[in-house]
Amino acid sequence: MKTLLIHIPQITKERREIMVMPMGLFSIADFLNKNGIDTKILHCGIEKEFNKDFSLDAYINKNDIRAICFDLHWAKQTRHVISTIKYIKQMCPAINIIVGGMTASYFADEILNSNMGVDFVIRGEGEYPLLMLIRHLYNGKANFDRIPNLSYINRHP
């Protein structure tokens, strides 16, 4: 099983903004990989620039992705990130969706309570909490209470 870190820029017909992903994604991916979690980074803006036929759900299904982490660092990218999350949850409802970053940290409760398809929010520093969460998810553990910096709603009591 694999974990995917995704950056969603804000792209419209007129502009391409937030094309630079947070540098923390690289350190998080490296940390997860060094700890035995097969992790890839995907920049959806670049993928679509190079391949107009790029399909995120096809990529997810082809690569046996079980958890997807989105950076939600800049508030301006929120609409695009949330619409992508809703699309993924519609196409692949069993995937665990995690968001992190400055905006996600500040609005964690609002994000979780709005029923946008987000399963978990990691607030603040994410390396250790994300590693612990991914291990819990892959091992079938359902108790996340001891994972630091983690917000979630238990939707399956």
Side-chain angles (χ1 to χ4, degrees):
M1 291 188 277
K2 298 178 184 174
T3 299
L4 185 62
L5 306 181
I6 297 181
H7 176 71
I8 304 291
Q10 180 179 342
I11 297 178
T12 63
K13 289 181 181 178
E14 300 82 29
R15 302 181 78 152
R16 285 169 173 68
E17 298 178 317
I18 313 174
M19 290 297 284
V20 177
M21 66 178 96
M23 295 307 294
L25 286 182
F26 296 100
S27 65
I28 290 171
D30 182 57
F31 180 75
L32 292 175
N33 278 311
K34 285 180 178 176
N35 281 280
I37 307 295
D38 188 1
T39 305
K40 303 286 185 235
I41 298 174
L42 182 71
H43 189 302
C44 281
I46 292 175
E47 292 296 330
K48 289 180 182 179
E49 287 290 321
F50 286 108
N51 178 4
K52 300 293 183 206
D53 297 325
F54 175 75
S55 167
L56 183 54
D57 55 317
Y59 181 90
I60 291 166
N61 289 323
K62 177 182 173 188
N63 289 286
D64 191 30
I65 305 297
R66 295 290 178 237
I68 300 177
C69 311
F70 288 87
D71 72 270
L72 183 51
H73 193 67
W74 295 280
K76 198 171 187 177
Q77 78 184 117
T78 302
R79 181 172 53 94
H80 294 280
V81 170
I82 296 304
S83 67
T84 303
I85 289 170
K86 286 180 178 179
Y87 171 77
I88 289 172
K89 272 297 196 180
Q90 187 176 31
M91 297 294 116
C92 312
I95 292 210
N96 293 289
I97 302 290
I98 306 154
V99 296
M102 196 163 46
T103 297
S105 296
Y106 189 81
F107 293 104
D109 292 337
E110 290 87 345
I111 290 168
L112 289 167
N113 289 320
S114 65
N115 200 22
M116 294 182 279
V118 176
D119 299 302
F120 304 95
V121 176
I122 295 185
R123 303 171 324 278
E125 294 300 318
E127 284 87 344
Y128 286 104
L130 185 56
L131 175 63
M132 293 172 71
L133 175 60
I134 297 298
R135 284 181 174 165
H136 271 64
L137 293 171
Y138 287 178
N139 292 326
K141 295 180 183 175
N143 186 349
F144 308 108
D145 292 340
R146 294 189 179 198
I147 299 175
N149 301 358
L150 183 68
S151 293
Y152 69 99
I153 295 175
N154 189 357
R155 289 181 167 80
H156 309 287

